[in-house]
Amino acid sequence: MTNHPDFSLVCPIPISDYPHVLMAHGGGGRLMQQLIQKMFTETFHNAYLDSAHDGAVFNMNAGRLAFTTDSYVVQPLYFPGGDIGELAVHGTVNDLAMCGARPLYLSVGFILEEGLPLETLWYLVQSMGHAAQVANVQIVTGDTKVVDKGKGDGIFINTAGIGVIEHDQTIAPDSVQIGDVIILSGDIGRHGIAIMAQREGLSFESEIESDSASVASAVLALFDADIEVHCLRDLTRGGLASALVEIAQKSQSHIHIQEPLIPVREDVRGACEILGLDPLYIANEGRFIAFIPHEDAENALSILRQDPVSTSALIIGQVTNERQGQVTITSTIGVQRIVDMLSGEQLPRIC
Amino acid sequence: MTNHPDFSLVCPIPISDYPHVLMAHGGGGRLMQQLIQKMFTETFHNAYLDSAHDGAVFNMNAGRLAFTTDSYVVQPLYFPGGDIGELAVHGTVNDLAMCGARPLYLSVGFILEEGLPLETLWYLVQSMGHAAQVANVQIVTGDTKVVDKGKGDGIFINTAGIGVIEHDQTIAPDSVQIGDVIILSGDIGRHGIAIMAQREGLSFESEIESDSASVASAVLALFDADIEVHCLRDLTRGGLASALVEIAQKSQSHIHIQEPLIPVREDVRGACEILGLDPLYIANEGRFIAFIPHEDAENALSILRQDPVSTSALIIGQVTNERQGQVTITSTIGVQRIVDMLSGEQLPRIC
């Protein structure tokens, strides 16, 4: 929980009465009402939640909206550099940003396992509220369900998000063009390794922290500066490799990257070797790639480097017209190989 | 699964290879891609999903939007009159309708337990697609997570929804006025009893089926006819009683209802007696109440009765200025009592 604000507020529900989540907290009666009003509504405080309605109602200007959802099932619930609460905000905010949208509103759906300590829930709710405030989004509607002990895993969180697209560009794999450069926002592999190290009880000289963060402000700065952006993708499950393969397949373009250019911290690389993992496939929660026309690349880099989440942004490759639908990589020893999607899975329940 | 279309399509994934959900189906690699493309994208087919983006992007006119979410954890996954798949569509569509909105777009987040038969998933996905088609909404974006065997319960589904409000009315507890009549859309208690009967192995002369249905068309017909509508609420967890208590508390009005007017089928009433349950608190998934000014009530009733989900709509009570923030009921033997919210829970995991 490093890097985390100290949430010292006292749980607003007298937890001496019920220190753990009960089935009745999801039953639609008084205990559920108390949980929603005291814990959720007061923490996520805004006019939409206060109306105690079946949903949130708000005004929108005419234009394009983005809509996305993700469920979060990561274990452990806390890990170096983050927790499932802030992850549930960052992940969905970032998916909206990857559509080129300014994130505005989130919904949250909690699936709680009977017996979850209320203190844990209270911490995670505060963490969500804090992350939402930092990312400048409002949590406007929600739902709480409780499942029997042994039928869940502490807490699962779903968030869905709505964002508004304030420019005329079409951000999508289909917009990728030959000659585009591929900008990576920073070093890769930290989120996955932070989780795995925690799970496996590995320790390193310095703790490896997740890169979990909202990248919306960095991305929106590109649009504010009228940079031409063709495609954006955050590097979550499946990592950098899977993101590139998906885009190459969908756009039927050829993506070539240079392995020596891809930043991986030494401790992360060491952990990957111990665990037998390839950093290219490891999940990140605060990293993204941007496909930018060659002539806008320097401008884009200098804008991204001004934002704390992408100070080390750099070009790692480009789009060519050689092998349609494929990703190739030139390795550190100069050998070129094809990058493929994994058929199995490296790291279960990473997000 | 009565009342259900016969989904005879063959599962598009060769299930002989992997008959059950594996951790890798949520891993971001090839198996997950196959699941999404073959099973989800082809069933929910629309241009938004096909773009294989981090979210859906669509145009909206200026105006008011409604946004809502619910997670569905009902057990068993299939029950007389429905299943968790269609419930996940109906529930969220109905929440949008209760905001006075026309439901347009849904997101779906699956949390699958390792070992869930792919055939089950395939059935439920078809059921969702069918329910969405009937309710005239599109499932435009989604997410799939897999949790280890023993850390989930087959399948949990979250849906979030966006709807558009095409009138100028403010539908909310705060809009309730003294003199409003309370219209109930039909008989109560069937969803909860259908689930409990299935769980407890009870059988009745005729099977009791869930009332699970989209009520959006019935509600929207009221707005199309320029009926003044003050508040709407669907009678899910906590049933009719909890919905009324919430509205009375929020609006600080007094709601009085007549028990003899509230329709409960004889077999449902019998089952309630066996199970020791009060039909007023039992969850429904296709029933709602509407608060309508006295002068519009007859018109509203005749419109609602034209829609299959509310053919038996009737007035069950009205709003007075007596006991602020309370609900009272006159029983069948003429005794008046206060209706309160349950502090515990009658029926766990009903939706």
Side-chain angles (χ1 to χ4, degrees):
Chain A
M1 283 180 282
T2 9
N3 266 348
H4 240 234
D6 175 27
F7 299 130
S8 51
L9 286 173
V10 174
C11 181
I13 296 176
I15 61 164
S16 51
D17 303 353
Y18 307 104
H20 297 99
V21 168
L22 307 173
M23 292 305 289
H25 280 115
R30 208 176 283 152
L31 272 178
M32 188 172 100
Q33 243 201 357
Q34 186 190 51
L35 192 70
I36 292 171
Q37 285 172 2
K38 300 268 182 197
M39 202 183 273
F40 304 154
T41 305
E42 288 191 17
T43 307
F44 302 148
H45 188 68
N46 58 65
Y48 308 105
L49 276 171
D50 293 347
S51 71
H53 208 20
D54 274 330
V57 173
F58 39 78
N59 283 300
M60 296 292 279
N61 295 325
R64 283 186 301 164
L65 294 187
F67 181 34
T68 189
T69 192
D70 261 332
S71 301
Y72 300 85
V73 301
V74 64
Q75 275 292 343
L77 301 178
Y78 309 105
F79 45 83
D83 58 66
I84 192 173
E86 60 156 67
L87 196 65
V89 173
H90 294 154
T92 296
V93 159
N94 290 349
D95 278 348
L96 291 172
M98 295 303 113
C99 296
R102 181 181 302 281
L104 294 180
Y105 302 115
L106 296 188
S107 66
V108 56
F110 294 110
I111 299 179
L112 310 177
E113 185 189 7
E114 182 186 22
L116 177 75
L118 270 185
E119 281 285 9
T120 302
L121 180 60
W122 173 230
Y123 183 88
L124 295 173
V125 165
Q126 287 179 92
S127 185
M128 288 192 82
H130 177 77
Q133 201 172 16
V134 171
N136 207 16
V137 289
Q138 289 182 296
I139 298 172
V140 296
T141 187
D143 175 60
T144 306
K145 293 291 189 308
V146 179
V147 296
D148 332 53
K149 204 170 174 67
K151 299 295 184 184
D153 201 8
I155 180 169
F156 301 140
I157 304 177
N158 175 284
T159 50
I162 295 178
V164 62
I165 298 176
E166 295 165 333
H167 51 80
D168 297 325
Q169 302 195 48
T170 302
I171 312 301
D174 288 342
S175 300
V176 167
Q177 287 177 20
I178 292 162
D180 282 357
V181 301
I182 297 146
I183 294 178
L184 171 64
S185 69
D187 68 305
I188 61 170
R190 277 197 279 131
H191 177 70
I193 294 300
I195 301 274
M196 286 307 283
Q198 181 94 342
R199 257 189 229 163
E200 307 290 327
L202 300 180
S203 61
F204 305 98
E205 262 182 52
S206 59
E207 191 174 51
I208 298 172
E209 291 186 345
S210 168
D211 60 329
S212 177
S214 160
V215 302
S217 64
V219 168
L220 293 170
L222 295 176
F223 295 109
D224 289 346
D226 283 327
I227 301 285
E228 197 175 316
V229 179
H230 291 162
C231 191
L232 295 161
R233 189 63 60 105
D234 55 348
L235 311 178
T236 55
R237 275 182 294 180
L240 174 61
S242 305
L244 290 171
V245 171
E246 264 188 59
I247 293 170
Q249 285 177 355
K250 183 71 188 163
S251 64
Q252 279 301 300
S253 61
H254 172 227
I255 295 172
H256 185 71
I257 56 171
Q258 303 287 339
E259 194 158 29
L261 297 179
I262 299 167
V264 182
R265 267 173 35 173
E266 269 318 304
D267 49 4
V268 171
R269 197 181 295 282
C272 281
E273 279 166 14
I274 293 169
L275 296 164
L277 299 171
D278 183 341
L280 286 181
Y281 292 92
I282 292 182
N284 312 272
E285 289 294 339
R287 291 290 174 248
F288 64 93
I289 45 173
F291 288 70
I292 307 278
H294 188 265
E295 54 276 22
D296 275 359
E298 279 309 314
N299 245 339
L301 280 175
S302 80
I303 289 163
L304 289 176
R305 287 174 183 159
Q306 288 166 39
D307 193 288
V309 298
S310 47
T311 47
S312 311
L314 79 172
I315 295 170
I316 59 160
Q318 78 182 107
V319 179
T320 79
N321 57 0
E322 290 162 38
R323 300 151 169 268
Q324 283 193 349
Q326 284 198 335
V327 178
T328 53
I329 188 166
T330 301
S331 75
T332 39
I333 54 166
V335 177
Q336 187 170 317
R337 67 176 201 277
I338 290 173
V339 177
D340 207 352
M341 199 158 271
L342 286 184
S343 64
E345 161 165 68
Q346 280 203 126
L347 303 172
R349 299 186 57 188
I350 208 75
C351 57
Chain B
M1 284 180 282
T2 9
N3 266 349
H4 239 233
D6 174 27
F7 299 130
S8 51
L9 287 173
V10 174
C11 181
I13 296 177
I15 61 164
S16 51
D17 303 353
Y18 308 104
H20 297 99
V21 169
L22 307 174
M23 291 305 289
H25 281 115
R30 207 176 285 153
L31 272 179
M32 189 172 100
Q33 242 201 359
Q34 187 190 50
L35 191 69
I36 291 171
Q37 285 172 2
K38 299 269 182 197
M39 202 183 271
F40 303 154
T41 306
E42 288 191 17
T43 307
F44 303 146
H45 187 69
N46 58 66
Y48 308 105
L49 276 171
D50 293 347
S51 71
H53 208 21
D54 274 331
V57 173
F58 39 78
N59 284 299
M60 296 293 279
N61 296 325
R64 284 187 300 163
L65 293 186
F67 181 34
T68 188
T69 192
D70 262 331
S71 300
Y72 300 85
V73 301
V74 64
Q75 274 292 344
L77 301 178
Y78 309 104
F79 45 83
D83 58 66
I84 190 174
E86 59 156 69
L87 196 65
V89 173
H90 294 155
T92 296
V93 160
N94 290 349
D95 279 347
L96 291 171
M98 295 304 111
C99 296
R102 181 180 302 281
L104 293 179
Y105 301 115
L106 297 187
S107 66
V108 57
F110 293 110
I111 299 179
L112 310 177
E113 184 189 8
E114 183 186 20
L116 176 76
L118 270 185
E119 282 285 8
T120 302
L121 180 60
W122 174 229
Y123 183 88
L124 295 173
V125 165
Q126 287 178 91
S127 184
M128 288 192 82
H130 177 77
Q133 201 173 16
V134 171
N136 207 16
V137 290
Q138 288 183 296
I139 297 171
V140 296
T141 188
D143 174 60
T144 307
K145 293 292 190 307
V146 180
V147 296
D148 331 53
K149 203 170 174 68
K151 300 292 184 186
D153 201 8
I155 182 170
F156 301 140
I157 305 177
N158 175 284
T159 50
I162 295 178
V164 61
I165 298 176
E166 295 165 334
H167 51 79
D168 297 326
Q169 303 195 47
T170 301
I171 312 301
D174 288 342
S175 301
V176 166
Q177 288 177 19
I178 292 163
D180 282 356
V181 300
I182 297 145
I183 294 178
L184 170 64
S185 70
D187 68 304
I188 62 170
R190 276 198 278 132
H191 177 71
I193 293 300
I195 301 273
M196 287 306 283
Q198 181 94 342
R199 258 189 228 162
E200 307 290 326
L202 301 179
S203 61
F204 305 97
E205 262 182 53
S206 59
E207 191 174 51
I208 297 173
E209 292 186 345
S210 167
D211 60 329
S212 176
S214 159
V215 302
S217 64
V219 168
L220 293 170
L222 295 176
F223 296 109
D224 290 345
D226 284 326
I227 300 286
E228 197 175 318
V229 180
H230 292 163
C231 190
L232 295 162
R233 190 61 61 104
D234 55 347
L235 311 178
T236 55
R237 275 182 294 179
L240 174 61
S242 305
L244 290 171
V245 172
E246 264 187 60
I247 292 170
Q249 285 177 354
K250 183 72 188 160
S251 64
Q252 280 300 301
S253 60
H254 172 228
I255 295 172
H256 185 71
I257 56 171
Q258 303 287 338
E259 194 158 30
L261 297 178
I262 299 167
V264 181
R265 267 173 34 175
E266 268 319 302
D267 48 4
V268 171
R269 195 181 296 280
C272 283
E273 280 166 14
I274 293 167
L275 295 163
L277 300 171
D278 183 342
L280 286 181
Y281 292 91
I282 292 181
N284 312 271
E285 289 293 340
R287 290 289 173 248
F288 63 94
I289 45 174
F291 288 69
I292 308 278
H294 188 264
E295 54 276 22
D296 275 359
E298 278 309 314
N299 245 338
L301 281 176
S302 81
I303 288 163
L304 289 175
R305 286 174 184 159
Q306 287 166 42
D307 194 288
V309 298
S310 46
T311 47
S312 311
L314 80 172
I315 295 170
I316 59 160
Q318 78 181 107
V319 179
T320 79
N321 57 359
E322 291 162 36
R323 299 152 168 267
Q324 283 193 350
Q326 284 198 335
V327 178
T328 53
I329 188 167
T330 302
S331 74
T332 37
I333 53 165
V335 177
Q336 187 170 317
R337 68 176 201 275
I338 290 173
V339 176
D340 207 353
M341 198 158 272
L342 285 185
S343 64
E345 159 164 69
Q346 280 205 123
L347 302 171
R349 297 185 61 187
I350 207 74
C351 57

